[in-house]
Amino acid sequence: MRLLKNESKNAHPIEACALLFGRLIDEEAVVTKVVVTPNVLRSSVRFEADPQTVFNVFEQAEQEGLDFVGIFHSHSAPAHPSVFDFQYMRLWGEAVWLILSSADGGVAAFQIVKGDLQKVVLKVE
Ligand SMILES: [Zn+2]
């Protein structure tokens, strides 16, 4: 989690983003690998990772036998999905969205379950 906090601080006010890999066992998600992906939008309210980078990162993780767990990004606002986030969350299916607020240091993880936004517990090792 320290890496993500530092990255968010360095990127501020631009949103930082990262891909999270690890193990998905039943209801529990444990993140063991964090890969920071530069925000190509360089926006303080939206983020997007370079597709080629994302592809490479996924391939590498697969070779390491890791599951894709979710997506991290930072907010200048509180740690709650924005309207944009909510739209993308629907596209990413079961992925867990970890959000860190640069404003108040709050951290929260969310997932769309059967169309509804739910708060989930995510361990970052
Ligand atoms: Zn967001």
Side-chain angles (χ1 to χ4, degrees):
M1 204 58 224
R2 180 181 291 167
L3 169 75
L4 294 173
K5 280 184 181 155
N6 285 343
E7 186 59 29
S8 304
K9 205 190 249 177
N10 293 340
H12 188 79
I14 290 166
E15 288 192 358
C17 54
L19 295 170
L20 311 174
F21 298 89
R23 309 245 172 276
L24 285 171
I25 303 157
D26 297 326
E27 308 281 278
E28 197 182 73
V30 179
V31 175
T32 55
K33 180 185 166 105
V34 173
V35 185
V36 172
T37 50
N39 182 354
V40 293
L41 297 180
R42 301 195 62 77
S43 161
S44 61
V45 289
R46 297 182 71 167
F47 74 99
E48 193 178 297
D50 170 57
Q52 184 63 50
T53 305
V54 172
F55 179 82
N56 293 343
V57 169
F58 267 82
E59 205 164 48
Q60 177 79 32
E62 198 175 309
Q63 280 169 14
E64 291 167 6
L66 299 172
D67 295 322
F68 171 62
V69 174
I71 299 165
F72 164 84
H73 74 290
S74 64
H75 268 190
S76 303
H80 195 272
S82 68
V83 177
F84 296 128
D85 293 339
F86 198 64
Q87 285 171 357
Y88 282 105
M89 287 178 85
R90 289 177 176 279
L91 297 176
W92 279 84
E94 309 241 292
V96 174
W97 283 55
L98 180 66
I99 302 176
L100 169 77
S101 169
S102 316
D104 57 16
V107 182
F110 302 86
Q111 194 175 23
I112 299 273
V113 181
K114 293 183 182 128
D116 290 324
L117 186 66
Q118 277 188 15
K119 225 171 171 173
V120 294
V121 178
L122 185 68
K123 274 197 244 171
V124 181
E125 289 186 339

